[in-house]
Amino acid sequence: MTLARHLAAAVVFAVLIVVLSIQLSAYRDYQMAEVAAYVTAVAGLTVLIGLSGQISIGNGAFMAVGAYASALLLLHLGWPIEVVFLASAVIAALAGAIFGLAAARLRGPYLAGATLMLAVALPSVADQYQGVFGGDQGLSVTVTTPAFLGASFPPTRWLAWLTCAAALITLVLLANLGRSRVGRSWRAVRDDEVAASLAGLNVARLQILAFVVSSACAGLGGALLAVVSGIVAPGAYTLTLSIALLTAAVIGGLGTLPGAVWGSLVLVLVPSYLTNLGASHGLSGAASSSVPIAAYGVVLIVVMLVFPAGIQGGLRRLFGPAAGLNALRRHAPAAEHQEEGTI
């Protein structure tokens, strides 16, 4: 029954996205596609941190893996875009499995440090193998609009539909995974590894699986971002991207998929708005580009002070009691237990 509800919600949102994209300009369609790409990556990260309790500052590296995989597959094999997306997610998942095996014994800041090293080191691979990855210039990514939509169909609208469809499918899969036995096991490991191990759970395997799922989502997000931007270059997948993804997950609400949407909206829309605002007030180009960085810090501090559980947690606190006070009273212990990490 849960799967049916998730699918029904995805269909409703898909219809809304189609209607909304038709009314919006090409630039807003582009932003919608960009948000969908980040939603996919942030959703995997919020599951990793919010459900399994592992800290990662390197998901930008796995986005780079998926982005370069999609670019190379399109350039050399010319596969259909749907197959390219799936293959990119699988390749990133394999990379995540390898890294997860290596980091299975690390905890807390040590694991964060290892993922930080990955985020810093991986972009330099493109410079070492310029013949394959294009060096600083990167690789171009071209996706054509299907012929059945007509020659005059806006390409940005097709990109918005394509990326939003991939993001919705990802959210449905993650939502059902979070409600499954695996999701409950992740929560048990997050709350107490020793107790989970004594209960018969394979802690290391569950943690590696969480890394695999998160890496696959990041790889798919990277492939979507490559299609949207039309180019894959190492400068787009630096440590700054990994920190931005982590910030979006925290701002939106760790462990909540709607939180991934809120965080991605902040990640895409706030910098664009503030950059334009700074330029309109006569700030130089360098100063205007610095405004979004400062805004991230301000927004993060405000959200953490006002809504410690993120935007989604704040909305749940504001509207949850009115929506179902009796249900909350009946299930108060369970609600308290899942406050920090719910799908």
Side-chain angles (χ1 to χ4, degrees):
M1 192 63 182
T2 302
L3 176 60
R5 289 199 299 269
H6 292 159
L7 288 175
V11 170
V12 171
F13 279 109
V15 173
L16 291 176
I17 288 170
V18 170
V19 174
L20 187 61
S21 67
I22 294 175
Q23 305 298 323
L24 295 176
S25 64
Y27 177 67
R28 295 304 180 187
D29 282 338
Y30 172 83
Q31 284 188 316
M32 185 185 299
E34 195 175 8
V35 168
Y38 285 120
V39 165
T40 307
V42 175
L45 183 60
T46 195
V47 167
L48 176 68
I49 301 177
L51 292 190
S52 73
Q54 301 178 87
I55 301 175
S56 174
I57 317 179
N59 267 40
F62 296 113
M63 285 190 72
V65 171
Y68 274 102
S70 63
L72 291 171
L73 290 173
L74 287 171
L75 181 63
H76 297 292
L77 298 180
W79 287 358
I81 190 62
E82 299 84 358
V83 180
V84 168
F85 286 161
L86 180 60
S88 299
V90 171
I91 292 172
L94 292 175
I98 295 172
F99 184 83
L101 287 170
R105 297 183 180 275
L106 300 178
R107 299 291 184 274
Y110 302 102
L111 178 60
T115 57
L116 175 64
M117 179 188 66
L118 180 67
V120 172
L122 193 62
S124 63
V125 174
D127 295 328
Q128 298 297 324
Y129 301 95
Q130 297 186 17
V132 178
F133 301 110
D136 291 335
Q137 301 301 317
L139 301 173
S140 61
V141 180
T142 303
V143 177
T144 58
T145 305
F148 67 86
L149 292 176
S152 61
F153 192 87
T156 52
R157 187 180 302 168
W158 164 244
L159 288 178
W161 290 5
L162 182 66
T163 54
C164 287
L168 286 174
I169 293 172
T170 302
L171 292 177
V172 169
L173 293 176
L174 290 178
N176 284 277
L177 183 61
R179 298 287 184 178
S180 69
R181 181 178 179 181
V182 173
R184 293 191 294 270
S185 299
W186 280 338
R187 292 185 182 92
V189 172
R190 176 201 63 192
D191 294 339
D192 193 327
E193 289 187 18
V194 176
S197 179
L198 292 175
L201 297 178
N202 191 322
V203 174
R205 183 180 299 173
L206 286 168
Q207 290 176 334
I208 293 172
L209 178 60
F211 249 103
V212 170
V213 172
S214 178
S215 301
C217 292
L220 178 57
L224 296 176
L225 190 60
V227 168
V228 173
S229 60
I231 189 172
V232 180
Y237 302 94
T238 60
L239 177 61
T240 303
L241 174 60
S242 296
I243 295 177
L245 294 176
L246 181 60
T247 304
V250 174
I251 289 176
L254 289 174
T256 64
L257 295 181
V261 178
W262 294 120
S264 299
L265 287 171
V266 172
L267 183 62
V268 173
L269 298 182
V270 169
S272 174
Y273 173 77
L274 292 178
T275 300
N276 294 335
L277 183 64
S280 65
H281 283 72
L283 295 179
S284 63
S288 297
S289 62
S290 299
V291 170
I293 300 176
Y296 276 134
V298 173
V299 171
L300 182 60
I301 292 172
V302 171
V303 170
M304 290 297 97
L305 290 177
V306 180
F307 303 128
I311 296 175
Q312 182 62 22
L315 293 175
R316 188 186 300 116
R317 284 179 177 272
L318 290 175
F319 300 106
L325 182 58
N326 294 331
L328 288 177
R329 288 173 178 172
R330 288 196 303 268
H331 303 289
E336 293 176 0
H337 179 71
Q338 296 181 2
E339 175 68 21
E340 297 181 356
T342 57
I343 294 294

